Amino acid sequence: MKTVTRSPEIRIDSYLSEGEERSLANDVLDGLTRPFKEIPPKHFYDARGSELFERICELPEYYPTRTERQILLANADEIVEVTGAGELVELGSGSAEKARILLAAMSRAGTLRRYVPLDVSESALEAAAIELVDEFEELSVHGVIGDFERHLDRIPAAGGTARIVALLGGTIGNFLPGTRRRMLREIGALLGPEDRLLLGTDLVKEAAVLEAAYDDAQGITAEFNRNVLHVLNRELDADFSPDAFEHIAFFDRRHEWVEMRLRARRPCSVLVGALGLRVEFAAGEELRTEISAKFTRARLQEDFDAADLRLERWYTDPDNLFALSLACRE
Ligand code: SAH
Ligand code: AVI
């Protein structure tokens, strides 16, 4: 672990070093040698991937970000009042745009103490920490650069106040169902009796709306999708030609998730130098890069039951596009 203290108010612990390169190597070795090729979505988010994601959030077709922001703006004061929280732990914090809304509500309520963001993206986390301590003078930030699938136990103990553990943006939907329930259970284990989980989930809706959100007219999502190939080229000395892969996004109604894939436009033979691995793609062969599950309240309730979490409050927008759940440990 490496600790970087930038100012008296900011401490950042990093758990990603050589271990992270190994994790990418393992995921690639595992994912590219399967009969149906797959790479986990966490590898999108180098500095360029995080920037592309920020641009996705501003796209007219990508409704989840602005909708969740509206739900938060409308309900943050109530959420802080019912939880009495003074600390926000955010998993996959990104630019912390939504955290800012909750922190502002804590500041208005006079409870604000600490923000604990956890993200694999060092650039996004550091920038957010610096901006936030500038904005809220009573705030300290204890950031964790890490992987929420491996480093939840590195989150600092609660600082003597109730806390909200937030997983926003629909990120829970990026896990396959079994892993999703395991993650919810592990997050539940972080909660003390006074603490609450705040979970953002995108909701099931017409396929056309969902597919447009993941295949925008400007092609930013396509670039985000192909960014994983740039990451592999740089980090693992691979020789993918990203333009040889077409961006695919479709709603799988049976599984109720959007899938993003990269489809080889022609036969491709790729060398992943760092692994000494040659990977063949037939023309039209696809590599799955992300699933993004869409929820109904009933299905989310089942996931909460399986993870021993109790849904206390459900907040949504007038068009039922997106939902925020407040839950506690059973
Ligand atoms: N919460 C923000 C960002 C969502 S994007 C929002 O709602 O807009 C998903 C974020 O999770 C990115 O910042 C990405 O870097 C981070 N992330 C993805 N996989 C991760 C993992 N395994 N561990 C930690 N952070 C991860
Ligand atoms: C971070 N996550 C919730 C986004 C999503 O919608 O599943 C990632 C994303 N992929 C394409 N566009 C946005």
Side-chain angles (χ1 to χ4, degrees), residues 38-242:
E38 179 161 27
I39 306 245
K42 74 172 174 205
H43 302 301
F44 285 134
Y45 299 95
D46 64 348
R48 178 169 181 264
S50 297
E51 263 176 53
L52 286 166
F53 179 73
E54 289 311 307
R55 290 175 65 191
I56 289 174
C57 292
E58 302 301 321
L59 290 169
E61 296 94 332
Y62 194 74
Y63 61 85
T65 305
R66 61 174 176 274
T67 311
E68 191 182 36
R69 192 187 297 134
Q70 281 161 13
I71 301 171
L72 275 170
L73 284 168
N75 299 288
D77 287 317
E78 179 184 310
I79 291 169
V80 169
E81 193 192 325
V82 299
T83 58
E87 182 164 315
L88 175 64
V89 177
E90 188 180 16
L91 309 176
S93 43
S95 66
E97 274 311 311
K98 297 161 189 166
R100 176 173 275 118
I101 300 170
L102 288 161
L103 297 173
M106 289 179 191
S107 182
R108 283 194 292 277
T111 56
L112 180 61
R113 303 266 281 272
R114 188 165 67 154
Y115 176 48
V116 181
L118 183 153
D119 206 289
V120 278
S121 173
E122 186 170 344
S123 54
L125 193 144
E126 283 192 1
I130 293 165
E131 275 180 29
L132 288 171
V133 294
D134 224 34
E135 194 169 329
F136 301 101
E137 60 176 29
E138 68 274 50
L139 183 71
S140 70
V141 174
H142 187 155
V144 179
I145 298 169
D147 181 340
F148 46 51
E149 289 192 70
R150 294 186 289 136
H151 299 122
L152 287 186
D153 61 342
R154 307 304 164 104
I155 290 172
T161 166
R163 61 183 179 180
I164 294 173
V165 178
L167 180 55
L168 302 176
T171 299
I172 191 68
N174 296 139
F175 296 103
L176 286 163
T179 315
R180 177 166 86 219
R181 288 189 176 182
R182 178 172 59 75
M183 276 299 292
L184 286 174
R185 182 172 285 279
E186 285 175 11
I187 296 171
L190 291 175
L191 302 176
E194 306 301 322
D195 301 339
R196 295 293 178 269
L197 164 66
L198 185 65
L199 184 71
T201 47
D202 196 9
L203 301 179
V204 171
K205 58 186 65 63
E206 308 95 270
V209 175
L210 288 166
E211 288 175 355
Y214 290 82
D215 192 9
D216 63 279
Q218 294 173 53
I220 310 292
T221 311
E223 267 317 294
F224 174 73
N225 195 5
R226 279 190 280 265
N227 191 52
V228 74
L229 303 182
H230 291 282
V231 170
L232 266 49
N233 284 351
R234 189 186 61 238
E235 300 295 325
L236 295 179
D237 195 21
D239 63 357
F240 279 97
S241 301

Side-chain angles (χ1 to χ4, degrees), residues 15-31 39-40 42-43 120 146-147 149-151 232 235-236 275:
Y15 295 95
L16 299 183
S17 52
E18 288 159 27
E20 191 47 23
E21 282 145 33
R22 261 201 313 279
S23 146
L24 174 65
N26 288 343
D27 286 346
V28 168
L29 189 58
D30 195 33
I39 306 245
K42 74 172 174 205
H43 302 301
V120 278
D147 181 340
E149 289 192 70
R150 294 186 289 136
H151 299 122
L232 266 49
E235 300 295 325
L236 295 179
L275 302 178

